[in-house]
Amino acid sequence: MKLQGQEEYEASSAHENVSAGELESDHGPSHSPGSSSETDSRELGVCTDPPLFIQLNELLGWPEALEWRETGRWMLFEEKLEVDAGRWSAPHVPTLALPSLQHLRSLLVKGLVLLDCPARNLLELVEQVIRVESLSPELRGQLQALLLQRPQHHIQTRTWPCWGSTPPKKVPHNENVPLKEQHQNPLRQKLPPEAEVATVLAGELGFLPQPLGAFVRLRDPVVLGTLTEVPLPSRFFCLLLGPAMPGRGYHEMGRAAAVLLSDPFQWSVRRASNLHDLLAALDAFLEEVTVLPPGRWDPTARILPPKCLSSQHKRSLSRKREVEGFSTRRMAGAEDRRGPGPQVPCPELQRTGRLFGGLVQDVNRKASWYTTDFLDALHPQCFSAVLYIYLATVTNAITFGGLLGDATDGAQGVLESFLGTAVAGAAFCLLAGQPLTILSSTGPVLVFERLLFSFSRDHNLDYLPFRLWVGIWVATFCLVLVATEASVLVRYFTRFTEEGFCALISFIFIYDALGKMVNLTHAYPIQRPGFPGYGCFCQYPDPQGNESQWATTKQKNRDDILSMDLGLVNASLLPPSECTQQGGQPRGPGCHTVPDIAFFSLLLFLTSFFFATAFKHVKTSSFFPSVVRKVLSDFSSVLAILLGCGLDAFLGLATPKLTVPTEFKPTLPGRGWLVSPFGANPWWLSVAAALPALLLTILIFMDQQITAVILNRAEYKLQKGAGFHLDLFCVAVLILLTSALGLPWYVSATVISLAHMDSLRRESRVCAPGEAPSFLGIREQRLTGLVVFILTGFSIFLAPVLKFIPMPVLYGIFLYMGVAALSSIQFVKRVQLLLMPAKHQPDLMLLRHVPLNRVHLFTAIQLVCLGLLWIIKSTPAAIIFPLMLLGLVGVRKALEWFFSPQELLWLDELMPEEERSISEKGLEPEQSFGGDESQDSELMYQPKVPEINISVN
């Protein structure tokens, strides 16, 4: 909160020695329920107070016609009434003049302070307030009539703003029923049900001999009828009246009181027992402001609300210590410096010391949530998620099915991909520990399948039986890992490893999407002038009976066209259909070709990508009502696909469409659904298969568990816990099943799983004006994934509908998923720093604690590792690709020799041994990475503001 200097105040006290400043408080306003701060407070045992809505009613019209009019309101930020425009201003950070706070303090010292007032209606409250010895009975009567006068509220309805209807001058003492306009106020829907109201009444009143100040805290909140804009119970009442004074003194004092109540200052006010406590809280507030010189900024400018506010419970704890007599600055500073400390392993990653002990714990933990895993899916958002992920899963199944068919010469194909995706995915969603995970074929596993088939072909081995034994050994090794609780090793998968793997998978999605579009240009070549299939001629019989004349439909110069005498029409410019109607006959290789399929496919590709991106980001835009923005964002991918399909159908071009199998039989002719254990292979091959199975086990463990770690990060605020051991057990059993049926192997798909979670984000519905919706977590349930995979299985029978979806549209969604996953990791933000001059770099918390060259070195190492992974994946050396993924953990461990623990704490995360050592050394960050404030709190933009703390005695 900023407190504006003398320019705005224009008060008579301009001679006081505070003329050179504006003040900015380090305190942000209260959060509405449902925000992360409230959850944090409950976890720390801090009592959370109801949100407070504050309004300023100003007395206008002295001395002719006095009336109360609401001129300002606060929830988190200030909204001013723009009378000429007939509307409320946009929410902004409130600004105040320092003298207004000083006058407010002196008025409270001399005025009336009633704490725990027993008033039950407006009349009783007014009678308590006017009991001032300095007022004569006549003045008390006039003042009571004035305070009972109904104020004018500017209620901005959905159609047009309206002022409260013209009321009688005085409200009878038994009338405390709000008006109809108050109940219909749209602002009421933005405030939580438990919110309370504070009313500030301020203005000039000439018949008062001296300023009158009163501050009242009601013992029990009551609805004060038409006094407030919204019909909510009132908790606080502040009265600031007095004779005329220069400038807008009472208006500014009223704003100062309202701003104080919108700050965590209200925490102290709610618990104050006397005037001394009230003044101590006000002084503590003044000690934490920041001075801005009046000549360094425009005092008429409105400061936009920040994107992120600091945690509320920390400020509340600081206020509590102030009331108890502790040093404000020392305790607040200690609270700011308090880091997260050593990270205690979550229960899922603690060893039990028993065989399958972690698996048993996972089963017991998830069993208690099993019923709610289905009940929590009864929400419209889940319907959107099903459509989005279903289309992504079908596209993925077709894409990887086609690639697998090419890699195995038809031993497996699209049908096996559909069946395996449906069976494995549905079983995993029913039984796994983290049902938000989407199982799919992945790029690394596909690379291994290609290598395994090449080895079988080169050595004249029967591929599917050999693959069956590899799968049996992989399942066995995975079960050993589950029994020995090897999943606890994922604690060594820090952000360095996760970002490298996630970036690799994202680039695979982007590369495949772009590669498919390039392949389309080969299947549907671009028609250029001089191309063999470009010309088309229209043949006419000569009216003289001579030999036919020919005219090319290629664009010619108009003079040449006019010089051609072809009879009634210029047939050379007519398309084949009209040429036939005119009696001609189209001839030539280009008459029946569509030359623009490649260009139109590119148009559909870009349309689906850009519209999916635009619809997803419309939630944070300023266009449309919030409900419309949320619908467009939730259904972004579905709307982009429908838009692409509609555009394709409207133009009617023969773009390549989605193809699904229509017969339920294996792709390889002559084989059944069960794979023979040996076939033509020797018996000893069943033992030798253990060697490639060991490499595949490493790959599956890394692929599965890195994705699991990413999905279960703290910033997603999952409430039902993870299930690392149970997930790996399910994957092992499914690998055994799919190997026996000759189906592809499936593990967690990072990009689609992240897209699934993103489509199920929960955000606060109740938010004050100017407040961004708070991220509440993920809608954790099993039903969306289960329905997606059931629909995938039935897709074989939905061919008549799915065949209208153009493949370029789905490739665009693939590109969108890869770009969205890539843009969400910190690694990309640090890569951007490599391309920015230092003077243009944002003020990141990361750069405040780590030298820029060290940041660039860390990023360069990640880029080198990512490049090596991509090169190895794309070469015959891909057989060692699983070991290279495991090598990322080793590289991260080696970085401890080049980077200090403090630097790694900001750039990455600490490994378990580092956490213990850094705790012993007392090196802790100044800000937590726990994701309480944002998904990348250490990258949060922090504006550079000079801080000058002042104390008011």
Side-chain angles (χ1 to χ4, degrees), residues 897-948:
W897 294 89
F898 303 97
F899 294 89
S900 67
Q902 184 72 13
E903 290 174 337
L904 290 175
L905 193 60
W906 285 100
L907 291 169
D908 187 32
E909 294 172 348
L910 296 182
M911 288 188 170
E913 296 83 359
E914 292 178 293
E915 290 177 357
R916 289 191 291 269
S917 64
I918 201 171
S919 178
E920 294 171 358
K921 297 177 182 178
L923 297 175
E924 295 183 356
E926 295 184 12
Q927 187 168 339
S928 170
F929 304 140
D932 293 336
E933 307 301 335
S934 68
Q935 295 183 6
D936 267 326
S937 58
E938 72 273 27
L939 287 173
M940 188 189 310
Y941 175 75
Q942 299 288 343
K944 296 179 180 178
V945 179
E947 296 185 358
I948 304 175

Side-chain angles (χ1 to χ4, degrees), residues 347-359:
E348 298 90 343
L349 298 179
Q350 291 181 341
R351 288 188 181 273
T352 63
R354 303 186 304 272
L355 285 178
F356 294 101
L359 177 63

Side-chain angles (χ1 to χ4, degrees), residues 727-745:
D727 289 349
L728 187 59
F729 176 80
C730 292
V731 169
V733 174
L734 291 173
I735 285 178
L736 184 61
L737 175 64
T738 54
S739 299
L741 296 176
L743 304 178
W745 290 318

Side-chain angles (χ1 to χ4, degrees), residues 703-729:
D703 204 342
Q704 170 66 34
Q705 300 296 53
I706 288 179
T707 302
V709 169
I710 293 174
L711 297 184
N712 289 282
R713 291 189 66 87
E715 53 257 34
Y716 291 116
K717 300 182 181 180
L718 301 181
Q719 303 297 321
K720 300 182 180 181
F724 296 96
H725 310 283
L726 181 56
D727 289 349
L728 187 59
F729 176 80

Side-chain angles (χ1 to χ4, degrees), residues 53 55 57 79 156 246 303 309 343 363 393 476 577 707 715 718 783 889 934:
F53 170 74
Q55 72 173 53
N57 293 349
E79 293 178 89
Q156 192 116 16
I303 305 171
L309 297 174
Q343 297 179 3
V363 172
T393 303
T476 303
S577 58
T707 302
E715 53 257 34
L718 301 181
L783 198 57
V889 181
S934 68

Side-chain angles (χ1 to χ4, degrees), residues 1 24-32 35-37 40 75-77 93-94 262-264 304-315 768-774 927 931-934 937 940-942:
M1 173 189 57
E24 179 181 13
S25 169
D26 295 332
H27 303 288
S30 313
H31 285 264
S32 60
S35 63
S36 59
S37 60
D40 297 337
M75 182 64 186
L76 285 181
F77 305 101
V93 179
S262 68
D263 187 84
L304 297 177
K307 293 182 179 180
C308 186
L309 297 174
S310 58
S311 187
Q312 171 71 20
H313 74 271
K314 292 183 179 181
R315 296 191 298 271
E771 179 191 17
S774 303
Q927 187 168 339
D932 293 336
E933 307 301 335
S934 68
S937 58
M940 188 189 310
Y941 175 75
Q942 299 288 343

Side-chain angles (χ1 to χ4, degrees), residues 170-188:
K170 180 177 178 179
V171 180
H173 70 277
N174 60 352
E175 182 181 341
N176 286 282
V177 180
L179 297 175
K180 178 181 179 181
E181 292 84 357
Q182 292 174 273
H183 287 287
Q184 296 176 346
N185 191 345
L187 179 65
R188 179 67 182 85

